[in-house]
Amino acid sequence: MDHEAWLREMGGRDRAPQRPAVGPEAVTQIHEPGALPFEEEQPGRQQCWDRIPAATTATLLEKAGKVLTWWAYPEPNGHPRALVIGERGICRVAPVIRAGVPEYRGERVRLEPGSLRRRSFDHRPPKVGRPKTPAPAAPPPPGVPVERLDLAPEARGILGQFPLEVQDFLQRPFLSGADRQVSADWYYDETRDGRRATLFIALCLQTERALAVVEATRTLARGARVDQASWPAVECHQARLLPR
């Protein structure tokens, strides 16, 4: 198969944060964490990736450039699809079934050269004695507008998993344009032992001209609340996208 031709160019409640402002006259919307359902028998991202033909994944990686994050997951028919976000572009592949055999088709949206911006977060809650009921985020002062994006409910719940400063960083690329309708892709996987749960989670937010992506690990002690979780490794990126 000609892989150059194969990979066509393509382009519960919400609360305002205590701090970040879009400008002196507005704040970004902060979201509550949603449910994270797990399917015990579903294969992980590496297992799904390994089931995609090697020539396909090689082309995918070459087109994306240096990888920022990636994942793969099964479709309802059992065949995996994949997404790779790199320094050159956002690349996706999905199976098309022909005579019972999957053929992989892909698309890429290019990043505008020089527009990629990176920021890391290390969010660890202060050590306290007896657990307290978490206080709600303070509302903005009267008359201060809250900048809201048009996100699907499931996407808002995924965004709400992250600390406030991370949520703010991820929303900023979409606040200056007229189009507030943002598409979202995400992946998460959790492992547990007797003492803690470790969550790997990645989220991609995208419009026609802007991108925000995060890859993070969260650890939560057994019996602790979500607001008591530690986020020792949060890597975020923003970029502008080239027109399709």
Side-chain angles (χ1 to χ4, degrees), residues 20-72:
V22 176
E25 300 177 352
V27 295
T28 53
Q29 186 180 25
I30 294 300
H31 303 277
E32 293 283 357
L36 293 178
F38 289 92
E39 296 182 20
E40 296 291 339
E41 302 302 321
Q42 182 166 300
R45 62 174 185 162
Q46 187 63 58
Q47 291 174 284
C48 291
W49 180 268
D50 292 341
R51 291 173 54 194
I52 299 173
T56 298
T57 56
T59 302
L60 188 63
L61 293 170
E62 189 277 328
K63 293 290 185 181
K66 184 178 178 181
V67 175
L68 306 178
T69 192
W70 69 276
W71 59 85

Side-chain angles (χ1 to χ4, degrees), residues 134-219:
V144 174
V146 177
E147 300 285 352
R148 292 180 170 86
L149 303 183
D150 185 0
L151 283 167
E154 296 86 355
R156 293 199 298 266
I158 295 294
L159 182 57
Q161 299 292 331
F162 296 97
L164 300 186
E165 63 269 25
V166 177
Q167 292 191 44
D168 177 70
F169 183 85
L170 293 173
Q171 293 178 88
R172 285 181 177 272
F174 312 106
L175 299 178
S176 58
D179 184 9
R180 298 293 179 88
Q181 187 170 2
V182 181
S183 63
D185 292 287
W186 61 83
Y187 175 86
Y188 58 85
D189 193 11
E190 188 176 58
T191 57
R192 295 175 179 267
D193 58 29
R195 297 182 300 169
R196 66 177 62 87
T198 301
L199 177 75
F200 171 84
I201 185 168
L203 171 65
C204 169
L205 301 177
Q206 179 185 346
T207 59
E208 287 289 329
R209 297 303 303 273
L211 168 73
V213 61
V214 57
E215 178 181 289
T217 301
R218 184 189 77 187
T219 60

Side-chain angles (χ1 to χ4, degrees), residues 6-7 52 56 60 73 75 77 79-83 91-97 102-107:
W6 165 88
L7 193 63
I52 299 173
T56 298
L60 188 63
Y73 58 93
E75 292 196 325
N77 60 18
H79 297 291
R81 65 164 54 222
L83 178 147
C91 296
R92 295 177 173 88
V93 291
V96 176
I97 310 302
E103 295 181 5
Y104 281 86
R105 304 290 178 86
E107 63 180 30

